Each structure stands twice: as structure tokens, then as C-alpha cells.
């Protein structure tokens, strides 16, 4: 029954319900497999109604391959800079 209800919720998703990663602005998200931070502008999940009678969708459901990051945007900015193979160091 719960699986059926969740399936119906997913079928009612509209484009306005999709949530995108915004670096430095919102929570930080990363891939569940540990491969890194979700790139800026990529979809991370969608909003659904928390209760059937709600007028507006308010519960964020992350996609199956996305989790909240335990690290901040500053951490990821530094991590990505240190591992950038195209980075040029002067000095």
C-alpha cells in the first residue's frame, strides 16, 4: 500500500516540483556512492505534499542516488579545487 501511494505521488510530479542544487545557497548534496558533490544546477529531488489535503507540496524527496552531504559548500569547493587536474599553480 505504501509503495503504491509513493508511486502515485511520483506520477503527479510537475516541473515546478523539481529541486536543483545551488552551490553556496542551500543545503549541500552528494552522491550516495561517495563519488562527490552534486554539480551546481543538477536536479536533486522533488517536492510532494506531506499530507493528501495539503494545498502545496512541502516535503522534499531526494532522488535515490542523492543524500544530504555531511560537508559544507566550503569543504567541497576546496576539495574540488585541490583535485582539479587542470588547475595551474603559480608561484
Amino acid at each position: 500500500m505504501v509503495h503504491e501511494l509513493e508511486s502515485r505521488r511520483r506520477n503527479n510530479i510537475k516541473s515546478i516540483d523539481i529541486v536543483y542544487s545551488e552551490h553556496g545557497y542551500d543545503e549541500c548534496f552528494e552522491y550516495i556512492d561517495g563519488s562527490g558533490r552534486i554539480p551546481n544546477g543538477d536536479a536533486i529531488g522533488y517536492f510532494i505534499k506531506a499530507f493528501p489535503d495539503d494545498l502545496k507540496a512541502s516535503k522534499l524527496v531526494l532522488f535515490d542516488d542523492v543524500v544530504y552531504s555531511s560537508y559544507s559548500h566550503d569543504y567541497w569547493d576546496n576539495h574540488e579545487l585541490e583535485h582539479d587536474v587542470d588547475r595551474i599553480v603559480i608561484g
Side-chain angles (χ1 to χ4, degrees):
M1 178 68 173
V2 173
H3 178 69
E4 180 182 325
L5 179 61
E6 184 63 28
S7 178
R8 272 191 297 208
R9 286 181 180 167
R10 288 183 186 200
N11 290 335
N12 294 327
I13 297 172
K14 295 177 178 54
S15 59
I16 196 168
D17 298 328
I18 302 295
V19 178
Y20 299 90
S21 174
E22 296 183 43
H23 292 178
Y25 177 73
D26 56 9
E27 297 288 334
C28 196
F29 303 95
E30 63 183 279
Y31 291 106
I32 199 166
D33 66 3
S35 61
R37 173 168 65 166
I38 303 295
N40 194 42
D42 281 9
I44 53 99
Y46 54 92
F47 280 111
I48 62 171
K49 292 181 179 181
F51 301 98
D53 295 334
D54 287 352
L55 297 176
K56 186 176 179 185
S58 62
K59 179 182 177 187
L60 177 60
V61 177
L62 298 178
F63 291 126
D64 293 341
D65 62 338
V66 176
V67 294
Y68 286 99
S69 180
S70 56
Y71 301 106
S72 69
H73 285 291
D74 288 338
Y75 166 85
W76 283 111
D77 290 342
N78 290 329
H79 177 79
E80 291 166 354
L81 181 62
E82 290 173 7
H83 295 89
D84 183 355
V85 295
D86 295 323
R87 182 176 88 167
I88 298 172
V89 179
I90 300 173

